[in-house]
Amino acid sequence: MTPDKPTVATPSATYKRMAASWALPLALMGGFDSMRAAGKLYLPQEAAETDQAYRVRLARTFLYNGFKRAIRSLHGEGLAKPIRLGEGASADAELWARDIDNEGRDLTAFCFDVFESALVRGVSYILVDYPRVPVGSTLADERSMGARPYWIHVYPENLIGWRIERAGGQRRLVQARIRERVTEPDGEWGEQEIEQIRVLEPGGARIYRKAQRDNGIEEWVVVDEYPMSLDFIPLVPIYTGRTGDMEAAPPLVDLAEKNLEHWQSASDQRHILHVARVPILFGKGWPDDEPVTIGPNSLVKASSDGADLRYVEHSGAAIGAGEADLDRIQEQMTLLSLEPMLPRTGDATATARALDQAEANSALQAWAANLQDALELAFFYSHRWIGQADETPVLVNDDFGLSVQDGQDIEALIKLRMAGDLSRESLWHELKRRGVLDDDMIPEEEMGRIEEEGPVLGSMAGAAGANGE
C-alpha cells in the first residue's frame, strides 16, 4: 500500500518522537480524568479480567499525583519572584514588559505558562510577532496605529515541523509550521472553529486551510500570505531537557514513570481492599435442595451430618505488602521531585565538597538561566521588528538551590517520616527552615487542603476513608 503523500499538516518525524515522550507527562498533568481516559494504555487489563470488571476497577482507581505537584512546586520556585528587566533596558522594552502578549499579561504572568510547559515537555516556544500593517507604512505610521511587537506562547504540540540549515558554520531556522485553531463567526449567531497551518519562513508567512475540490477530496491550500520585514524566523525555544536544535525530552520523565508505577500499584491495592472487605460464604456438604437464609433473626439448618457453613476471609498479608509498595514508591517520588533543586556536584573531590556548596548549580537554576537567555533573545527579536538592535538584560530568580548538606538532611527527614518516627508537622517545619516550603505555609490550612484533595492510597486509613468508612 502506497503511503499518503505528506502535506503541510503532516508532523515531522522529530515531532512524532517528541510527542510520544510527552504522552505520560501530559496525561498526569490532566489528572484523574486524563489517566482514566487513557484506560488500558496506563492501566493494563488482566488476562482473565472481563471488560465490566476492568471498568469497575478503573473507576475505583484514584491518582496520587506526585508528578503534577512536583511540576507546580518547581514552577513556583522558579517564578517565586517577579521577572525584571535589568539596567539599560530601553523604554520600549519596559513598556512591552507590562503587556508582553498584547492581551494584558505582564512578563512574569506570561512566563508562568511558558515555564510550566517547558518543565512538563522539556521545551516550549515564544513567537515574537507583529501586527500586519499596510505596505509602505513608516515606523511613525505604525506607532500612530498602535502597532508594536508582541509575544505568542507556542505549545510544543502545535509546532508540528521545522527545518534547519547550516550556513557559514551556523545553524539557522528556515521554516516553522505552526498548527493553529481560530474561531470565526458562522451566520448571525453561530461560530465555527477552523484548523489552519501557519508556515513561517525568513521574510514571509503563508496560511493554509483545508478546502474541498470539485471531486469532493479535501486538500490544504494557501488562503493568505504576507511579507515580514525580518530576514529570520523570530521563534525562541526555552529548554529544560534539550536534546538538539528545537527538540527536547521531558526532564522529569523518571518521576512520571514512577507516578505511573504508583497508579498501577494503587489500582491493585484498592482492588484487594475491596475483595478483602467482602467475606465469601463457603458451604461444605450442603444439600442442593435446602435453602440458606443469611441475616439476623434467622436459623440455618441442614439435614446432612457433614454439612458445614462458614465465612472465608482474606488473611490481609497482601494488603500489608501493597501498603509497603505504595509507601516505597511515594518516597522515591518525593526524592525524585527534589532532585532538580539539589546541587549537581559531578565528580567533586572531598576537598571541593568541603567548600561552600551553595555555589553549586542545580538543574532548576540551569533551567532558570535558560529561561533568562530565551527572554533576552525574544526582546532582541522584538527590537528587530522596529528596526533596532537593542539588547535587554532580564533578571530571573535563581536563588533556590539546596546545598548538598540540605539535600542529605531532607532525604533523612523523609525517611524518618516514612518510618513513622517524625510527625508530618515536624517534617513541614524542617522543610520550611531549609527553604523548601514557603515560610507563609500554615500547617492547619495545608491539612485542610489535603483532606479536600482526597486520600493518599499509601495508607489503610486513606483507603478506608475513600469508601466512606
Side-chain angles (χ1 to χ4, degrees):
M1 181 176 178
T2 303
D4 293 336
K5 183 179 179 180
T7 70
V8 68
T10 302
S12 69
T14 302
Y15 172 89
K16 292 177 181 177
R17 184 171 62 251
M18 291 170 60
S21 71
W22 305 329
L24 177 57
L26 288 178
L28 289 168
M29 291 301 292
F32 286 109
D33 292 341
S34 293
M35 291 297 288
R36 285 176 175 164
K40 299 173 187 177
L41 178 63
Y42 297 131
L43 190 64
Q45 184 174 358
E46 301 295 340
E49 189 176 25
T50 66
D51 290 344
Q52 176 61 23
Y54 175 79
R55 286 192 292 269
V56 170
R57 180 164 67 90
L58 180 63
R60 205 180 271 132
T61 302
F62 291 88
L63 177 65
Y64 171 78
N65 207 333
F67 178 82
K68 186 173 183 178
R69 291 181 185 180
I71 291 290
R72 293 289 165 84
S73 176
L74 293 169
H75 175 253
E77 285 286 342
L79 297 178
K81 297 178 182 178
I83 298 174
R84 297 180 293 109
L85 302 188
E87 186 177 349
S90 70
D92 283 327
E94 294 282 1
L95 179 64
W96 301 333
R98 289 194 286 271
D99 181 9
I100 199 67
D101 59 355
N102 221 9
E103 294 182 359
R105 289 193 297 176
D106 66 15
L107 183 59
T108 302
F110 178 83
C111 287
F112 262 76
D113 290 343
V114 174
F115 194 47
E116 180 176 280
S117 174
L119 287 173
V120 174
R121 301 161 179 82
V123 67
S124 209
Y125 310 94
I126 296 173
L127 174 64
V128 183
D129 210 349
Y130 195 86
R132 294 168 66 175
V133 297
V135 177
S137 299
T138 65
L139 183 57
D141 293 334
E142 293 176 7
R143 296 215 173 199
S144 66
M145 287 183 262
R148 43 147 289 193
Y150 61 94
W151 297 2
I152 298 172
H153 177 202
V154 179
Y155 285 90
E157 298 94 306
N158 293 326
L159 183 65
I160 62 172
W162 58 88
R163 285 183 178 174
I164 296 175
E165 292 182 356
R166 182 180 292 276
Q170 293 185 335
R171 295 173 67 83
R172 182 170 179 253
L173 182 66
V174 295
Q175 187 187 85
R177 290 182 287 135
I178 301 174
R179 180 168 48 206
E180 301 173 335
R181 291 190 179 276
V182 295
T183 302
E184 295 185 350
D186 184 14
E188 187 174 5
W189 311 114
E191 59 183 25
Q192 58 179 333
E193 190 177 72
I194 300 173
E195 181 180 10
Q196 64 184 31
I197 307 296
R198 185 181 303 269
V199 179
L200 301 175
E201 294 172 337
R206 301 186 304 276
I207 296 177
Y208 290 77
R209 288 185 181 178
K210 278 186 177 179
Q212 196 169 62
R213 292 160 49 180
D214 293 339
N215 59 6
I217 297 176
E218 284 190 330
E219 65 177 359
W220 290 90
V221 299
V222 176
V223 297
D224 192 13
E225 56 185 318
Y226 56 93
M228 295 192 302
S229 60
L230 302 179
D231 60 357
F232 60 90
I233 300 174
L235 187 65
V236 182
I238 299 95
Y239 298 109
T240 59
R242 186 180 186 277
T243 57
D245 289 331
M246 305 295 289
E247 60 180 296
L252 300 184
V253 66
D254 290 344
L255 177 58
E257 293 286 354
K258 189 59 63 175
N259 211 149
L260 175 59
E261 183 183 354
H262 191 282
W263 167 253
Q264 295 173 350
S265 181
S267 180
D268 292 340
Q269 181 73 353
R270 179 56 56 85
H271 181 67
I272 196 65
L273 282 171
H274 174 70
V275 171
R277 286 172 175 170
V278 183
I280 300 172
L281 187 63
F282 170 74
K284 177 183 177 183
W286 205 268
D288 294 337
D289 58 350
E290 292 192 16
V292 177
T293 303
I294 304 298
N297 304 317
S298 62
L299 176 65
V300 179
K301 297 187 298 180
S303 57
S304 173
D305 293 338
D308 185 19
L309 188 66
R310 57 185 168 177
Y311 282 105
V312 178
E313 296 191 57
H314 198 283
S315 68
I319 296 175
E323 282 185 39
D325 185 53
L326 287 171
D327 287 344
R328 174 188 61 81
I329 297 171
Q330 284 178 221
E331 179 183 357
Q332 291 172 340
M333 289 169 64
T334 300
L335 294 174
L336 283 171
S337 68
L338 289 173
E339 274 189 358
M341 295 181 62
L342 296 176
R344 298 179 298 181
T345 56
D347 297 324
T349 63
T351 302
R353 286 194 295 268
L355 300 177
D356 183 12
Q357 296 291 349
E359 296 180 359
N361 289 327
S362 67
L364 184 55
Q365 285 171 321
W367 299 338
N370 289 344
L371 175 62
Q372 180 172 300
D373 290 344
L375 296 180
E376 290 178 347
L377 182 57
F379 271 109
F380 179 74
Y381 287 171
S382 299
H383 280 102
R384 288 290 301 272
W385 268 115
I386 60 174
Q388 299 174 354
D390 292 26
E391 295 187 357
T392 304
V394 177
L395 304 176
V396 176
N397 174 49
D398 63 355
D399 184 19
F400 35 66
L402 297 174
S403 71
V404 171
Q405 184 60 53
D406 280 342
Q408 293 171 345
D409 288 351
I410 289 169
E411 183 175 357
L413 289 168
I414 291 172
K415 289 181 178 179
L416 285 172
R417 170 61 187 156
M418 300 305 296
D421 294 332
L422 184 70
S423 70
R424 176 178 287 171
E425 188 168 347
S426 294
L427 174 62
W428 286 345
H429 171 75
E430 291 299 325
L431 293 179
K432 285 172 67 176
R433 193 164 67 86
R434 287 165 172 80
V436 177
L437 296 178
D438 196 308
D439 287 338
D440 295 331
M441 193 271 277
I442 301 174
E444 292 77 11
E445 293 181 357
E446 191 65 22
M447 285 299 298
R449 295 189 188 101
I450 292 174
E451 291 175 1
E452 289 177 2
E453 289 179 356
V456 173
L457 291 180
S459 67
M460 286 290 290
N467 286 305
E469 299 183 7

